[in-house]
Amino acid sequence: MRHTIRTSLVAAGALLAALVPPAAGGATALAAPLAVSEQAPGTVVQRGGTLSVPSGEEGPATSYFGAALPAGATGTVKARLVLSDLFWPPEGSDEHIPSELYYTRWSCSVNGGAFVDCPYGREGLVLPETAAAPFVTYAVRVDAGSYAANDRSLHGSFDVTDAAGGRIATGPAGFAFVPGTPEAEFRTVLHARDRAGVLWQYEGTGRPSAPFKPRQRVGGGWGGYTALTRLGPATADGKGDLVARDRDGVLWYYRNSGTLSAPFWPRVRIGGGWNAYTALIGTPDGLFARDRDGVLWNYPRAAGAPAPASAPFAPRVRIGGGWNAYTALTSVAGLSANILARDTGGVLWAYRPSYSSDPAVPLRPRVRVGGGWNVYTALAGTGDLGFHTDRDLLARDRDGRLWAYEGDYAGVPAATRTAAGWGWNIYDTLL
């Protein structure tokens, strides 16, 4: 009998070795070759051990499990993958799955069949039933988004049961979620204007130590503007609006195109008189403007979705005076207004959003971040530079070196910085 089982397993191994694993994302699966001739009956082996799964746009990763069934196994068998180190929300809560499984999609295949969705539920991941055989090959494919279980390993068991529910084969299973390349919608884009008036864009990579891909030319003629500011985060999927003030004080609106290679639609005139302001700070909620007397004004986004490009803002509302104390102002990307302000003494202050319905009180009282920020000649709030928050900060020093600061969820930069490049003195504006 033992010889018969071994012969069957060797034959199964030869058949599997002739099949080739599918390319990532394929609609059907061919079973991966497994060394099964020495696998003991009643065991399940995960080929290659714990599977490394990139969380990002890399696409799905597939793990193969070989189940050697005991002699005499007949009828229909079922398989289930259970990850034992998950914390499930209580029944009846608004949460439906553990946080580690958000932004993940699971599918599975049996013996080289087509992949089907296998949602992970409270009972684990239940694979399709199949007829008993000396050796069964299962494939589990997981596609993890950027905010899945980054830097987290999940372990458990892979069990095969007979028609009566008795376990007839088992073995360990593991999935290690590692940071991948964030999807385009989560990767920031930096715009930079050179001294010849050409606007360039740097697509984010999702890696803080090398945060940008090589620059791409947006176009010339941007030297005619005395102020440029973004209205909310710019992302690698071509999203993010921009306003620009020309030398005559006319404000222009550049609506995003949704295409990174040509990120803006042709400009639309908003109106004149904007030379009254010494600083413009765009936010997702609208536009802040500081006048020559140091008074800060709020231009909220106009009601209606979407507001016309020629009238994107409601009438201005006074916030308060004293803003001439600051030599640099920038908005940190996010869902609402997060303002960073550097004073004449080099101290950086953070103004968190108030979330008030009163447009005259859009910000909370300032919070001191720290001193020494006069070493920088430019500050630019961005989206996610790869720290997995969406309110990071770039700072350029006098030597043209660029530094990245991880921001918290209120836009306050961390105390430590990461080198992000050099040679940035060729630009007069970063946004």
Side-chain angles (χ1 to χ4, degrees):
M1 178 65 71
R2 181 177 299 173
H3 175 74
T4 302
I5 294 173
R6 181 179 294 276
T7 301
S8 298
L9 291 175
V10 171
L15 173 62
L16 293 171
L19 300 176
V20 180
T28 60
L30 297 177
L34 292 162
V36 301
S37 60
E38 299 301 324
Q39 187 173 330
T43 62
V44 177
V45 174
Q46 183 178 14
R47 182 173 184 250
T50 297
L51 178 70
S52 180
V53 181
S55 296
E57 67 179 12
E58 281 78 4
T62 305
S63 191
Y64 295 91
F65 295 85
L69 305 189
T74 60
T76 299
V77 295
K78 301 177 181 179
R80 185 174 65 144
L81 169 69
V82 178
L83 301 173
S84 58
D85 44 2
L86 292 174
F87 176 77
W88 280 88
E91 293 279 5
S93 72
D94 292 337
E95 305 293 335
H96 302 294
I97 61 174
S99 60
E100 295 90 348
L101 296 185
Y102 281 133
Y103 309 107
T104 63
R105 180 178 178 182
W106 301 76
S107 55
C108 52
S109 166
V110 182
N111 288 331
F115 273 95
V116 296
D117 286 338
C118 294
Y120 197 102
R122 290 184 180 272
E123 301 302 317
L125 188 148
V126 180
L127 289 89
E129 298 179 356
T130 191
F135 195 84
V136 182
T137 300
Y138 296 93
V140 175
R141 177 174 291 172
V142 55
D143 192 359
S146 296
Y147 291 91
N150 264 311
D151 292 325
R152 174 79 189 277
S153 292
L154 302 176
H155 296 92
S157 65
F158 193 103
D159 303 319
V160 181
T161 58
D162 59 21
R167 189 169 67 179
I168 57 175
T170 187
F175 296 84
F177 292 85
V178 298
T181 302
E183 292 91 343
E185 63 184 302
F186 299 124
R187 283 187 283 114
T188 194
V189 167
L190 178 69
H191 290 101
R193 182 182 65 184
D194 67 24
R195 301 182 194 285
V198 176
L199 190 68
W200 301 87
Q201 69 178 8
Y202 288 84
E203 179 183 351
T205 63
R207 301 188 304 275
S209 60
F212 299 112
K213 297 180 181 182
R215 67 180 188 177
Q216 300 293 320
R217 191 179 193 271
V218 175
W222 292 79
Y225 296 121
T226 59
L228 297 168
T229 187
R230 298 191 306 196
L231 300 175
T235 50
D237 57 352
K239 301 295 176 61
D241 300 338
L242 181 150
V243 293
R245 181 187 64 196
D246 67 22
R247 292 188 176 89
D248 296 325
V250 175
L251 195 66
W252 300 88
Y253 189 94
Y254 287 86
R255 191 183 295 281
N256 78 85
S257 68
T259 303
L260 188 62
S261 59
F264 304 115
W265 292 112
R267 67 180 189 177
V268 175
R269 189 181 194 274
I270 296 174
W274 290 82
N275 273 341
Y277 300 115
T278 59
L280 300 177
I281 312 103
T283 79
D285 298 326
L287 183 67
F288 294 150
R290 181 185 64 188
D291 66 23
R292 291 183 172 81
D293 295 324
V295 175
L296 193 67
W297 300 86
N298 183 15
Y299 286 84
R301 286 273 194 176
S310 60
F313 308 120
R316 71 177 189 175
V317 178
R318 189 181 193 272
I319 296 175
W323 287 78
N324 274 342
Y326 299 120
T327 59
L329 295 165
T330 188
S331 173
V332 183
L335 299 178
S336 193
N338 292 273
I339 303 299
L340 296 177
R342 182 188 62 195
D343 66 22
T344 55
V347 176
L348 191 68
W349 301 87
Y351 288 86
R352 297 181 172 94
S354 67
Y355 301 109
S356 170
S357 59
D358 184 354
V361 192
L363 304 169
R364 297 181 185 180
R366 68 181 188 175
V367 175
R368 190 181 193 272
V369 176
W373 288 80
N374 272 344
V375 299
Y376 297 121
T377 59
L379 302 175
T382 71
D384 190 359
L385 293 170
F387 297 108
H388 297 290
T389 60
D390 61 355
R391 297 166 177 85
D392 298 331
L393 177 69
L394 289 168
R396 182 188 63 194
D397 66 23
R398 292 184 176 87
D399 295 324
R401 291 174 298 186
L402 199 64
W403 301 90
Y405 286 86
E406 178 183 5
D408 66 14
Y409 288 96
V412 177
T416 57
R417 64 184 186 176
T418 301
W422 55 274
W424 289 80
N425 274 342
I426 63 173
Y427 300 115
D428 63 17
T429 302
L430 302 177
L431 68 152

